[in-house]
Amino acid sequence: MTVGSPRPRAEVAALADQLLAAWLKREGHDEPPPDTLALPAERLRLGDRVLLDRDFGDLPAGTTGPEGAPATDPEGGPGYIRRRLRTPAPHGTDQLTLTLASATPDGPTEVRLEAEYLASGSAPRSGGRVPVPDLARALLPLLDATDGPAQIGVAPRLVRPADVEALIDELCDPERRLPVLVASLPPSTAPSAWVTETLLPLTRQLTGLASLHLLDHEALPLFNVALEYHKVYGGAVRTYLPEIDPACRVDGARHPVLPRHRIEEDVRRAAALLAREPRRLATDLPLPALLAAVPVYRAPTEARSAVGPATEQRTDQEVDAAERQARADELQRVRHSLHRSRRRERFLSAANDDRSGLRHSSGLSLPGRLCTVRPCDGSPGSFGELVGRFAEFPLLEFTGDQKEAVALDGQYAGTGWARLTWEGLTALQEYAAAAVRGEAGGDFKQWCEHTPPGCHRFPPRKAVRGESRTVESHTKWKRERMLPVPECVDSSRRAFMGAHLRIGGGRTAPRLHYLDDCSGSGRIYVGYIGLHLTNTRTN
């Protein structure tokens, strides 16, 4: 969770300390003494395997604050305060880290709260998500938390007609970092009942990760008229990612919709689907400059141990801290690189939209069915390049083994196969963009048989809906087609992928196996690209 607060960092730290002390007391642990800021770093043992680390310090002079201007306060420059709590968990440790940074002691504060599960030794790693910590739900309302102009609260905010313009301003704010979730009311449903019975359990995993809103019956048509290509209605919930382009029809496919029937079928699974993109963004986005400048935690030197003199221990700690700092800096560079790459993809897509006439202009709506823009820099010449460019298909996710795909480059027809695979992925992306809006008119096979004008055509005979009964009933062959998917799709992290594309001709030519989950998570998962899997015609 990364949010802003108008409160000074010392005040936020005091609030967090009170909440932590109350929680520790409820759990039967010792309460920490008040932090007098006498020591720049200290470690407190509050019970069996219960550690609380506290540290604070200055940040480099000139570190920019939330508004982008360097700190110049003569009475105090940029600084940080941090808390890290470790508590025992089955087969490991739960770690909670709260970092506060501000450009001046009395200025607004950037707040980051990280919850992690650390597996011990060879213990099995948990496959589930780390739950939202109680501290986040308790602290967030006290922070007056914001993301730019948006208020970040625990519960959805009711949007009335007079609030629609402000909500649209929030959506279109170029500095927005967090997703905005907008829920629509089902017809003849009271807002209070929908919030209590559906939206609160649905958004419980989103505390601090998104701005939450509910359109009332009168605000809904006003919102949808203003956002012609990004509508939400009928009890659905839509996730609006940062850098929305309301004038672009193609951009609508980037903002997933969770329909009412999926919510009511299983609220718990729907909540996991809804939390997926906000959690990804929370992990992938670069940190704000102030938080990025905070050094990695350095534990205070403890008493001399039996393994060697204190000087050796300090040297080891310094080397370890330097290595962790290098890893943290590299992670921030990767986040920036990924962010720039995704922005460039959106820029190129928008430029293509302008050339293709897919951008709204002069209040005129556009006829015909929407297709996403095809990648503009040509087909890849190898499967190695293809795998590296998978991010060009935002609604497709490759979950398979890259080695199987790259191995095809050693085949005599590898280049032609790579190009045909790229054509299939392009068609799948265009189909997915229509399917998430309910405009595909059927499955991918039907899409290929009746490809809309302006969209990329993939040969229908190469699009296969499923495997034969023989394959599906054969234990070993079916197991080969149980391919990886995210946990939000199936708790076992495996799903049968009978649907596939034929890449090339012949009995053993390559295949691309996929799962169409556009009606659920809004994605198509490609679980396998490689030589033909075993069936009645292969050895």
Side-chain angles (χ1 to χ4, degrees):
M1 176 180 89
T2 304
V3 296
S5 173
R7 301 179 182 275
R9 62 178 183 258
E11 183 179 336
V12 176
L15 290 170
D17 286 345
Q18 292 175 16
L19 295 172
L20 279 175
W23 181 85
L24 288 164
K25 185 178 180 179
R26 287 196 303 271
E27 296 294 313
H29 305 306
D30 295 338
E31 291 186 65
D35 188 2
T36 62
L37 301 180
L39 297 172
E42 61 179 340
R43 168 164 290 175
L44 304 173
R45 298 184 181 275
L46 306 175
D48 183 28
R49 294 175 59 205
V50 179
L51 295 176
L52 176 62
D53 295 322
R54 304 192 295 204
D55 70 316
F56 68 93
D58 296 330
L59 296 177
T63 303
T64 57
E67 305 301 325
T72 57
D73 190 337
E75 297 182 1
Y80 72 93
I81 299 174
R82 178 166 40 202
R83 303 286 185 261
R84 189 176 73 178
L85 178 66
R86 291 187 174 186
T87 54
H91 308 296
T93 301
D94 285 331
Q95 178 171 289
L96 190 65
T97 306
L98 176 68
T99 308
L100 314 171
S102 60
T104 64
D106 297 325
T109 303
E110 295 285 351
V111 181
R112 184 168 175 86
L113 183 65
E114 299 173 87
E116 303 169 85
Y117 170 77
L118 310 175
S120 57
S122 59
R125 292 191 176 272
S126 170
R129 295 179 176 84
V130 176
V132 174
D134 292 339
L135 180 62
R137 295 194 177 96
L139 184 61
L140 196 62
L142 306 178
L143 294 178
D144 300 323
T146 60
D147 173 40
Q151 296 293 317
I152 308 299
V154 175
R157 182 175 66 88
L158 185 64
V159 178
R160 296 181 171 86
D163 307 318
V164 169
E165 186 174 345
L167 175 57
I168 294 174
D169 287 343
E170 178 182 323
L171 287 173
C172 299
D173 180 5
E175 301 302 317
R176 175 166 67 90
R177 291 171 49 89
L178 302 184
V180 175
L181 267 70
V182 179
S184 57
L185 268 176
S188 305
T189 303
S192 58
W194 188 243
V195 168
T196 303
E197 298 170 9
T198 304
L199 290 187
L200 287 180
L202 184 67
T203 59
R204 185 167 174 79
Q205 299 183 34
L206 293 171
T207 303
L209 302 181
S211 173
L212 312 174
H213 305 268
L214 171 63
L215 295 164
D216 72 9
H217 293 297
E218 291 74 28
L220 182 62
L222 299 176
F223 180 85
N224 285 334
V225 167
L227 293 178
E228 180 182 356
Y229 306 135
H230 300 74
K231 297 178 180 180
V232 61
Y233 49 84
V237 178
R238 189 158 196 171
T239 301
Y240 295 93
L241 300 176
E243 300 183 354
I244 184 175
D245 186 348
C248 178
R249 298 186 68 176
V250 172
D251 184 69
R254 204 168 57 87
H255 309 278
V257 178
L258 186 62
R260 178 185 178 184
H261 72 90
R262 295 303 299 267
I263 297 170
E264 294 180 334
E265 282 174 4
D266 187 340
V267 172
R268 187 173 179 180
R269 182 170 183 266
L273 289 171
L274 197 62
R276 185 177 175 207
E277 281 299 294
R279 282 178 174 260
R280 180 190 66 78
L281 277 177
T283 302
D284 292 352
L285 275 179
L287 295 176
L290 283 167
L291 289 168
V294 176
V296 297
Y297 179 77
R298 296 171 182 253
T301 304
E302 297 184 355
R304 176 175 173 174
S305 67
V307 298
T311 53
E312 291 184 12
Q313 187 179 357
R314 283 196 297 271
T315 301
D316 291 342
Q317 289 175 345
E318 290 168 2
V319 170
D320 176 64
E323 291 176 349
R324 287 187 289 113
Q325 186 65 61
R327 290 197 295 269
D329 294 342
E330 177 62 22
L331 177 59
Q332 179 72 349
R333 283 193 290 271
V334 169
R335 285 169 171 159
H336 273 293
S337 176
L338 183 62
H339 186 57
R340 285 194 297 267
S341 175
R342 286 173 174 161
R343 292 190 72 176
R344 180 176 178 273
E345 289 171 16
R346 290 195 291 273
F347 174 80
L348 291 174
S349 178
N352 281 334
D353 297 344
D354 286 335
R355 289 194 293 269
S356 305
L358 292 174
R359 184 176 297 275
H360 187 62
S361 174
S362 303
L364 299 176
S365 60
L366 299 174
R369 181 177 268 152
L370 163 68
C371 285
T372 56
V373 179
R374 276 172 262 167
C376 60
D377 46 355
S379 301
S382 68
F383 281 94
E385 182 185 353
L386 181 149
V387 169
R389 290 173 56 187
F390 224 90
E392 295 183 30
F393 303 106
L395 297 181
L396 309 186
E397 185 171 329
F398 184 44
T399 61
D401 186 351
Q402 297 184 9
K403 294 178 183 177
E404 298 283 355
V406 174
L408 295 173
D409 286 335
Q411 305 290 325
Y412 74 95
T415 300
W417 285 345
R419 290 173 180 165
L420 185 58
T421 303
W422 189 260
E423 292 176 10
L425 292 172
T426 302
L428 277 171
Q429 166 66 26
E430 293 176 342
Y431 158 76
V436 294
R437 297 188 315 280
E439 299 176 8
D443 62 9
F444 182 66
K445 176 80 170 179
Q446 291 171 288
W447 176 270
C448 294
E449 292 170 344
H450 307 284
T451 306
C455 292
H456 184 277
R457 187 178 183 277
F458 189 75
R461 61 186 175 80
K462 291 185 177 293
V464 183
R465 285 195 173 98
E467 297 284 11
S468 66
R469 288 187 179 181
T470 304
V471 171
E472 291 194 18
S473 60
H474 193 290
T475 304
K476 181 178 180 296
W477 297 349
K478 183 176 181 179
R479 188 184 308 120
E480 287 183 6
R481 292 158 175 83
M482 294 295 294
L483 297 166
V485 293
E487 188 184 24
C488 66
V489 177
D490 193 287
S491 59
S492 69
R493 294 178 176 263
R494 293 274 168 176
F496 181 72
M497 297 191 188
H500 60 273
L501 307 184
R502 292 172 176 154
I503 308 301
R507 295 181 177 180
T508 59
R511 297 291 186 264
L512 181 154
H513 285 258
Y514 68 92
L515 176 70
D516 181 354
D517 197 44
C518 289
S519 64
S521 60
R523 295 288 188 276
I524 291 177
Y525 300 96
V526 178
Y528 179 82
I529 301 175
L531 289 175
H532 201 307
L533 296 172
T534 311
N535 67 4
T536 55
R537 297 185 177 184
T538 58
N539 295 324

